[in-house]
Amino acid sequence: MLSWEYPPLLVGGLGRHVDALARGLVRAGHEVWVVTRGEKDEQVDELVDGVRVRRAALDPLAIDFTTESLLAWSQASEHALIRAALPLLRRIRPDVVHAHDWLVAQTAITLAAAAHAPLVATIHATEAGRHQGWLPAPLNRAIHSVENWLANSADEVIACSQTSQREAVRLFDLDADAVHVVPNGVDLVRWRVPARARATARDRYAPGGPLVAFAGRLVHEKGVQTLLAALALLRRRNPGLRLAVAGTGPHEDELRAQARRRRVARAVDWLGFVPEAQVATLLAAADVAVVPSYYEPFGLVALEAVAAGTPVVVSDAGGLADLHRDGVAAASFPAGEPDALAAAIDGVLRDPDRSRRAMRHAAGVLRTSYTWQAVAHTTAQVYAQAVATRRH
């Protein structure tokens, strides 16, 4: 497996996905190597829960991971990964090379060719999707071209939702039979929170009223602006209601300014980066968790909220629609509509019996369809198909 992020180097949900999938495959009896970027000037090999992890040496280049220099950063990162991955072929002969996202495309294609192994690519998101179907600048078009190259170089492609599958087929002109829907999973034990920790967090964040929680990157497509627009209406209906926002991102200053303009700033706690264990406690303490995205290929935090015991309200964007249809989400609303979002949250808060029934159903869906054991099993089936197709 090749991934540009992997614990403890995490930026979003991709690294957690690769980590949990790798451990799930190991538990199922597979041998898994993960090659990822490192933080040291020397290569590091580790054994983590049975997963063999090779962290590439960090090159001494002053290139920031920013929009302006992202392509230069990605090239430097890929060179480091290739230098770390190719020597492995003197020790092992992989049955499958699995690429996670466009930032490892060159490494994955090179390694698969050198190993004469089939290539599987997971499309976690697309550049066009992040920009509502547009590719407005040269950087966006360049990223799209790399995504297209990776998708069409792969023997099999994995998408994390039915919406993402249709998007990949359309954007990259793929055969629909070669694009498999494999959802994200959730570790039910890891996201279970003790009652005392839940109560402590509740007293901290919302001692006098309902608590609404958001966890994610503060970027436009995550839709926090819609949640802030709904907040004043929610507080009129639910006195004392507070919003806790866990996450950082380039839109944080703009969102804080919006909260001040809407006169809800004092009702919002901006928590910044929050470690996973504390995110679980925050979600468990909330009355409602909200995923208000404009674009969301899957929506892992929705699974995590339910695993923590909290009903979740999602927009109808992307893979979130799958989660509502499957009964994971308690309610849904049209993306970008604050009044509809306020009504959805208010409906959950005002009917606790219905919310408890929804939670029991959602917990059952998680146990049967969204464990990492189930995800690893389905992914291994895709691997087997890739091997069989390549041999044929």
Side-chain angles (χ1 to χ4, degrees), residues 198-285:
R198 182 193 303 249
T200 300
R202 183 52 184 258
D203 290 342
R204 175 183 175 186
Y205 296 117
L211 175 61
V212 176
F214 167 88
R217 292 179 296 121
L218 302 185
V219 292
H220 175 79
E221 61 264 28
K222 292 299 183 181
V224 181
Q225 57 271 30
T226 306
L227 182 53
L228 291 174
L231 191 55
L233 181 58
L234 278 168
R235 281 177 59 80
R236 285 197 293 272
R237 296 175 179 173
N238 302 274
L241 182 144
R242 296 191 62 80
L243 169 64
V245 177
T248 61
H251 281 217
E252 181 172 349
D253 291 343
E254 181 180 330
L255 292 169
R256 286 175 177 264
Q258 180 188 347
R260 291 192 293 270
R261 288 195 305 272
R262 295 185 177 278
R263 299 185 177 183
V264 294
R266 293 184 179 180
V268 183
D269 290 311
W270 303 92
L271 306 179
F273 173 77
V274 178
E276 182 178 286
Q278 295 177 30
V279 172
T281 303
L282 171 65
L283 293 175

Side-chain angles (χ1 to χ4, degrees), residues 288-362:
V288 183
V290 182
V291 188
S293 305
Y294 288 93
Y295 173 70
E296 194 68 69
F298 182 79
L300 181 58
V301 71
L303 295 187
E304 294 166 347
V306 173
T310 299
V312 63
V313 171
V314 301
S315 75
D316 60 358
L320 296 173
D322 290 7
L323 296 181
H324 184 237
R325 184 183 58 251
D326 289 350
V328 173
S332 179
F333 72 98
E337 297 191 12
D339 290 348
L341 172 55
I345 295 173
D346 196 49
V348 173
L349 293 175
R350 290 179 179 271
D351 195 342
D353 290 339
R354 179 185 173 192
S355 296
R356 281 191 288 270
R357 290 195 299 272
M359 279 303 304
R360 285 195 295 269
H361 175 74

